[in-house]
């Protein structure tokens, strides 16, 4: 019938060119679709109860203060599957937003159909919980009188309970992991830290200023994230870049007359990830006009020490004897030169929780590295009384000889097992070093059975750019190992590292096939050790023209427990000097196209200035006692840079890309 009607009217069109019969059927189809949608709409009565609840609920901590006999209302989640213990008696647990848990006693079967992670509001009376022993401290419980299910959890939440017990959910269920008490505490401490730092910086006269997120692409070191736009320039697509830091904007603020700036800033770097790195991260950024590095370090030290005093157990440092002592008004954080850090600890961010575990340069004993003339310093690290038998050595320390743990050459690791080893150990190093008087060295080191001596070569102290050195990396591995970890000081130990090289030679790119033992460097090509806006030490000013890699910069890092908490420097504010660094040292072509905004500002009266940036996520992780910054970020990216909760990054359709002048081909 319908087909006949359509055939009969196929040449009859309405004013829009459509057959009225087809229009009629289209309308019916829409009505059919709408009716199906309405049929699927949840019943009002089932929805009403999810949105109507009492507003005077208490936290579990608050009900403890009220005591037995009081009526209470609690919002939270079913913490575990309710347990039936009698014909009309069910025990359950409610967990509130803080992660606190209270036992609930149900004698009216209200919990009968409750599922794990259901969101509920309960009402009841506080009772004294029965103790199994008279020696136990009485606890409180809630006698359940009513229960409203505000949102029922599906079966998946219950299926993930094993992960809940371990405290680590699959990353796509991050929101479940964040419900755990530990992570609630982490987020709370993160908030408290940001509040504390803002208050401290406010009291020190800093002004919080927001800087743009959409920036321009500039060579600052790490790879950038680019943001396409719909605009073109000479028929070429144009892009914003997300800022690696607010560095250039904050220097422009100094040119703008802002005396003391700070910002808790979002930053972005497209780099390889690990426990202490994320593609987007937060830093406490600050800059001071008419100030030197000394002024900045003093301000940063005050803020950091206060944070550790209020949110942790205080901060420690080394005194003039090299002993660990608390930081006080009369005992500031120790300062250590880059050369000292590299020669004694093999890295520019030394972990000083084991201050006496130092690397020894054997040059004074006329021991010389002979495997590469550019790496002529031979040094050793001795682990005293590290093992009892060859078997315990193999079990606890063999990983030190695993080449996959090192960037280049692997240190030689020699256990002193027998009395004979005390005098002949040096023979194990003859392939990389020449000993003029091995007996003198053996006497000085006084090795005993149970000791381990580790040796390798490095560059001389005037050109020490391999960072960490092989023994510096070995020392890191030692401190991270279970065999040594118990010997680390319990304190958080801080140091300022200063007098860095301003520039460093650029390493040649290598592949796994190359597998070189030593880093190789490009001829006459240097890069900024930190960034190109750092001022040279004035005593080394002439070296900018003759040998830039020998010039030291006015840069300073704050290192705690072997982690760089932050870094800063006195900036270049002289336009001619900054342009010289760009063009003549770093060989940046047409620096005015990239940094013209800064150079122009410098020419128009920018005052001397210096600044700093604290890794806020790292600071949170330290204060929370966790090694990974992912633990203290609400929704961190995975090791591949993905957000598995929302599924980013994602692909974009070709049609959408065309609007941005981008093609996949």
């Amino acid at each position: 019938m319908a087909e006949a009607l359509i055939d009969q009217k196929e040449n009859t069109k309405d004013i829009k060119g459509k057959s009225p019969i087809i229009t009629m059927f289209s309308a019916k189809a829409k009505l059919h679709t709408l009716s199906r949608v309405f049929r699927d709409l949840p019943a009002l009565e089932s929805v009403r109860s999810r949105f109507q609840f009492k507003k005077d609920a208490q936290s579990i901590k608050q009900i403890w203060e009220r005591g037995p006999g009081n009526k209470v209302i609690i919002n939270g989640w079913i913490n575990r599957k309710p347990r039936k213990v009698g014909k009309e008696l069910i025990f359950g647990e409610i967990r509130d937003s803080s992660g606190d848990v209270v036992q609930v006693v149900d004698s009216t079967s209200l919990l009968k159909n409750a599922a794990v992670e259901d969101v509920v509001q309960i009402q009841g009376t506080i009772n004294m919980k029965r103790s199994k022993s008279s020696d136990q401290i009485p606890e409180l419980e809630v006698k359940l009188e009513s229960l409203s299910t505000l949102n029922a959890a599906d079966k998946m939440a219950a299926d993930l309970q094993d992960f809940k017990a371990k405290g680590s959910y699959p990353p796509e269920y991050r929101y479940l992991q964040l419900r755990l008490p530990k992570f609630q505490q982490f987020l709370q401490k993160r908030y408290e830290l940001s509040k504390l730092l803002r208050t401290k910086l406010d009291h020190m006269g800093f002004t919080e200023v927001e800087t743009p997120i959409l920036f321009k692409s500039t060579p600052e070191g790490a790879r950038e994230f680019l943001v396409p736009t719909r605009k073109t320039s000479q028929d070429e697509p144009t892009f914003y870049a997300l800022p690696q830091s607010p560095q250039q904007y904050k220097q422009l603020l100094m040119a703008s007359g802002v005396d003391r700036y700070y910002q808790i800033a979002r930053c972005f770097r497209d780099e390889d990830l690990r426990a202490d790195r994320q593609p987007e991260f937060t830093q406490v950024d600050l800059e001071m006009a008419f100030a030197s590095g000394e002024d900045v370090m003093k301000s940063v030290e005050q803020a950091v020490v206060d944070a550790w005093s209020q949110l942790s157990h205080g901060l420690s440092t080394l005194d003039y004897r090299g002993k660990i002592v608390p930081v006080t008004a009369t005992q500031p954080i120790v300062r250590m030169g880059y050369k000292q850090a590299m020669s004694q600890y093999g890295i520019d961010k030394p972990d000083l929780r084991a201050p006496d575990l130092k690397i020894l340069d054997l040059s004074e004993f006329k021991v010389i590295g002979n495997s590469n003339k550019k790496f002529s310093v031979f040094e050793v690290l001795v682990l005293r009384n590290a093992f009892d038998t060859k078997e315990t050595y193999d079990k606890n320390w063999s990983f030190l000889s695993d080449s996959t743990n090192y960037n280049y050459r692997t240190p030689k690791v020699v256990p002193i097992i027998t009395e004979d080893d005390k005098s002949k150990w040096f023979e194990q190093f003859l392939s990389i070093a020449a000993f003029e008087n091995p007996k003198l060295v053996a006497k000085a080191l006084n090795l005993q059975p149970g000791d381990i001596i580790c040796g390798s070569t490095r560059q001389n102290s005037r050109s020490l750019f391999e960072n960490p050195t092989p023994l510096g990396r070995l020392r890191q591995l030692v401190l991270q190992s279970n065999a040594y970890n118990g010997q680390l000081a319990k304190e958080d130990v801080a140091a300022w590292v200063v007098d860095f090289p301003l520039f460093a030679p650029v390493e040649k790119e290598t592949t796994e096939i190359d597998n070189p033992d030593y880093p190789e460097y490009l001829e006459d090509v240097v890069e900024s050790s930190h960034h190109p806006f750092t001022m040279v030490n004035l005593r080394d000013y002439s070296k900018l023209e003759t040998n830039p890699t020998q010039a030291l910069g006015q840069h300073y890092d704050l290192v705690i427990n072997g982690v760089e908490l932050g870094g800063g420097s006195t900036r270049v504010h002289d336009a001619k000097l900054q342009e010289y660094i760009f063009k003549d040292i770093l060989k940046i072509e047409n620096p005015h196209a990239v940094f013209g905004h800064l150079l122009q500002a410098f020419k128009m009266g920018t005052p001397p200035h210096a600044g700093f940036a604290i890794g806020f996520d790292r600071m949170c992780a330290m204060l929370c006692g966790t090694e990974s910054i992912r633990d203290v970020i609400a929704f961190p990216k995975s090791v591949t840079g993905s957000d598995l909760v929302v599924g980013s990054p994602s692909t974009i359709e070709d049609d959408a890309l065309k609007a941005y002048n981008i093609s996949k081909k």
Side-chain angles (χ1 to χ4, degrees), residues 122-176:
I122 68 167
Q123 298 183 60
T125 304
I126 304 175
N127 283 345
M128 193 71 73
K129 188 176 179 181
R130 294 180 181 177
S131 300
K132 295 180 180 179
S133 167
S134 59
D135 297 333
Q136 290 182 326
I137 299 174
E139 297 181 16
L140 300 178
E141 62 186 11
V142 175
K143 179 176 173 50
L144 188 61
E145 296 171 0
S146 72
L147 179 145
S148 298
T149 300
L150 305 179
N151 199 1
D154 65 13
K155 185 175 180 297
M156 178 63 73
D159 291 343
L160 294 169
Q161 285 301 287
D162 287 345
F163 293 102
K164 178 181 176 181
K166 296 175 184 176
S168 179
Y169 283 87
E172 59 266 36
Y173 300 108
R174 176 67 172 179
Y175 43 84
L176 293 180

Side-chain angles (χ1 to χ4, degrees), residues 482-497:
N482 292 330
Y484 193 89
N485 192 262
Q487 301 179 52
L488 286 177
K490 302 303 181 185
E491 298 92 336
D492 292 329
V493 186
W496 287 105
V497 180

Side-chain angles (χ1 to χ4, degrees), residues 410-421:
T410 304
K412 291 186 178 295
V413 181
V414 178
I416 308 301
I417 299 173
T418 67
E419 288 293 325
D420 205 31
D421 292 336

Side-chain angles (χ1 to χ4, degrees), residues 300-329:
V300 170
E301 187 164 327
Q302 287 180 30
V304 170
V305 171
D306 275 9
W308 250 263
S309 297
Q310 296 186 40
L311 300 179
S312 187
H313 44 68
L315 197 59
S316 296
T317 190
L318 301 185
D319 64 10
Y320 70 95
R321 300 168 300 174
K323 301 301 180 184
I324 297 174
V325 295
V327 176
T328 64

